[in-house]
Amino acid sequence: MTIAVLILIAVLCAMVALIVVIGRLIRTDDYADEDVIATYSDDRGMAPARIVRAGENFFMVYEDMNGGRYGIGMGTRLDDLDLIYNADNGKVIDIIGKDNYVLWSHLDGAGVTTMVYYINTGETEKVCENQDADKVSGCVGVYGYCAYFEKISRESERVDIVEYNLETGTERIIESVAIVDGVSKPVEAIKVYHNIMNLVEQESAGEIRLTAIDLNTLVKSDVKLGVTGISGGNGKLTVDKVVDIAPNLHRMTYIIHAIEKGKGVIYEVGDKKNLKCAMVDGREVKGSLGSEFGVIYWIEEVGDGGFTDRELHGYNSRARQHIIKINGVSSYVMDENDMYYFHEHKETGELALCRRGVAGNIKTIDMAEAKAEYKERKRNKAKLKSKGKE
């Protein structure tokens, strides 16, 4: 065997190894075995749906497959959780944990109710109940020993953002937004990061207001967006609506999930300019927008031949690059070191709870491949539409 042939064989082997490595890096439709913490079969009744952290404790929300009832489990280990609350009817809208308590809101036939569970005492308290679901979003937030939620004022003409002190039981109004005709909900979203509360407000049919409130000083600032077809050529960013908000603390800007001309889009909104980060090809999953360590995350639902899948996306705002996509992710939560997420296998229906490091261990996507996949998805949609018209 000649030296040239040996060199050729070595080169071919190296190329095969490189292809395998690249394939592993850009594979986005599965999870690595070492990431899996627990698995759940496809015939489960009450299924794990989402997870939050509160100090050293995990809180797991279990939901009926039909969405008619739910339970909440708690424990320091994900494989050893105790049921702390269950409801025979209703569904969880939003849930968040902090230190020694967990706060959530649920929707049932009576409306939106906000609950808090105290870890130290094991007690559960209703802090607000039976709010009109057509007027409040059900979003909740926490900071220090205070819970934040929406409450319709006694006059029923305004929605108040209330701060409820969990130690004293006292309340104070942080923000109040008028209920007006032509606006579905005056407060569409609430996110509390550290001491800053971020709100999507609308008390005018022609304008959306992104508001930030310092919960220590109550100093407020806002950015106003126009609504498509109403604001006119005044130079503002115009969108149909904003469904979610998160601050990008690395750049001191807002990240918004908006609907623009009937399509989903992720924008970074600043005082001087607005940057379109990504299109949302599927339907938005409200409450999934988040920004950690300079990366913007969101989940969207996409349909493929009658099957609905959820995709976790990540966008690096500094590099301006769409870097992460993991198929089959129904929800996620992050702490300082790890991302925890639920992955549902498309073929088997098996649900896996996974954990991976937030830095240096996240699969990235090849942009050319992602664009090709996006075009293929659009072609498939067009084919389905044409078949429906026949």
Side-chain angles (χ1 to χ4, degrees):
M1 187 177 292
T2 65
I3 295 176
V5 173
L6 289 173
I7 292 174
L8 179 60
I9 292 173
V11 170
L12 289 173
C13 290
M15 288 180 65
V16 170
L18 182 60
I19 290 170
V20 171
V21 170
I22 292 174
R24 288 177 179 173
L25 285 174
I26 66 174
R27 186 185 64 178
T28 61
D29 60 351
D30 207 345
Y31 50 81
D33 290 339
E34 60 267 24
D35 293 342
V36 178
I37 298 173
T39 58
Y40 309 87
S41 65
D42 60 346
D43 61 351
R44 55 195 180 272
M46 290 286 282
R50 64 185 101 173
I51 184 173
V52 298
R53 295 289 299 272
E56 296 298 319
N57 289 280
F58 292 95
F59 285 84
M60 186 91 78
V61 178
Y62 301 90
E63 293 181 350
D64 192 308
M65 297 296 285
N66 298 319
R69 59 194 179 102
Y70 74 91
I72 298 177
M74 182 193 80
T76 56
R77 290 170 42 189
L78 285 164
D79 59 352
D80 186 20
L81 301 176
D82 295 322
L83 192 67
I84 62 163
Y85 186 84
N86 66 87
D88 291 332
N89 60 80
K91 65 177 182 178
V92 175
I93 302 175
D94 197 13
I95 182 168
I96 191 167
K98 174 72 174 180
D99 297 331
N100 294 316
Y101 57 91
V102 66
L103 178 75
W104 74 95
S105 62
H106 76 243
L107 174 64
D108 58 22
V112 177
T113 295
T114 305
M115 315 279 293
V116 61
Y117 175 83
Y118 298 90
I119 297 174
N120 291 342
T121 63
E123 296 177 347
T124 303
E125 178 187 4
K126 290 183 180 179
V127 295
C128 183
E129 58 184 322
N130 302 339
Q131 299 298 297
D132 188 343
D134 292 330
K135 295 179 180 178
V136 301
S137 70
C139 295
V140 294
V142 296
Y143 172 60
Y145 287 96
C146 293
Y148 300 88
F149 50 86
E150 297 159 85
K151 192 174 187 179
I152 299 173
S153 65
R154 293 178 181 177
E155 296 80 12
S156 296
E157 297 177 352
R158 306 186 73 83
V159 168
D160 297 331
I161 308 299
V162 174
E163 176 187 82
Y164 180 83
N165 190 302
L166 296 169
E167 291 184 322
T168 65
T170 57
E171 291 185 0
R172 67 169 176 168
I173 296 174
I174 300 297
E175 177 75 331
S176 185
V177 186
I179 300 172
V180 298
D181 292 335
V183 175
S184 57
K185 289 184 175 70
V187 179
E188 186 70 40
I190 301 173
K191 288 284 181 68
V192 178
Y193 282 76
H194 304 290
N195 62 307
I196 304 298
M197 174 184 286
N198 294 266
L199 305 166
V200 177
E201 305 176 357
Q202 189 174 2
E203 57 183 356
S204 165
E207 197 165 68
I208 296 171
R209 187 169 60 241
L210 309 179
T211 300
I213 302 174
D214 187 322
L215 295 173
N216 291 329
T217 63
L218 296 190
V219 172
K220 181 170 69 173
S221 62
D222 57 49
V223 174
K224 296 179 181 179
L225 310 179
V227 178
T228 299
I230 298 176
S231 61
N234 56 7
K236 293 179 182 177
L237 172 65
T238 57
V239 296
D240 300 316
K241 65 182 295 188
V242 176
V243 296
D244 211 346
I245 186 173
N248 187 357
L249 300 179
H250 276 61
R251 292 162 62 91
M252 300 306 292
T253 54
Y254 298 94
I255 304 300
I256 64 169
H257 188 152
I259 305 300
E260 182 181 53
K261 298 179 181 179
K263 297 182 178 180
V265 62
I266 304 295
Y267 269 108
E268 183 175 11
V269 179
D271 292 333
K272 296 182 179 179
K273 65 177 182 178
N274 307 311
L275 175 66
K276 184 179 288 188
C277 300
M279 297 297 295
V280 178
D281 187 43
R283 186 168 66 90
E284 73 278 359
V285 176
K286 187 171 181 180
S288 69
L289 188 67
S291 178
E292 297 285 348
F293 309 106
V295 177
I296 303 157
Y297 299 94
W298 70 93
I299 294 176
E300 57 188 78
E301 287 186 347
V302 295
D304 182 12
F307 180 85
T308 300
D309 193 11
R310 285 189 169 190
E311 299 174 346
L312 173 66
H313 292 257
Y315 178 88
N316 188 317
S317 62
R318 186 179 297 276
R320 297 186 180 182
Q321 185 180 12
H322 193 161
I323 63 170
I324 301 166
K325 187 183 79 173
I326 309 175
N327 296 340
V329 175
S330 57
S331 68
Y332 72 96
V333 66
M334 302 182 71
D335 61 18
E336 293 180 357
N337 301 309
D338 298 301
M339 171 192 285
Y340 298 86
Y341 64 93
F342 287 110
H343 178 282
E344 185 167 8
H345 196 279
K346 189 173 182 178
E347 281 74 30
T348 67
E350 183 180 72
L351 186 72
L353 176 59
C354 306
R355 176 182 60 208
R356 63 175 65 198
V358 296
N361 189 33
I362 295 178
K363 299 169 188 173
T364 60
I365 63 174
D366 178 88
M367 289 307 295
E369 182 183 1
K371 288 179 181 177
E373 183 181 327
Y374 176 77
K375 290 180 180 179
E376 181 64 23
R377 186 180 293 164
K378 289 187 71 175
R379 282 194 291 267
N380 290 336
K381 281 186 176 180
K383 289 179 182 178
L384 290 173
K385 280 186 178 180
S386 63
K387 286 182 180 179
K389 292 178 180 179
E390 292 176 356

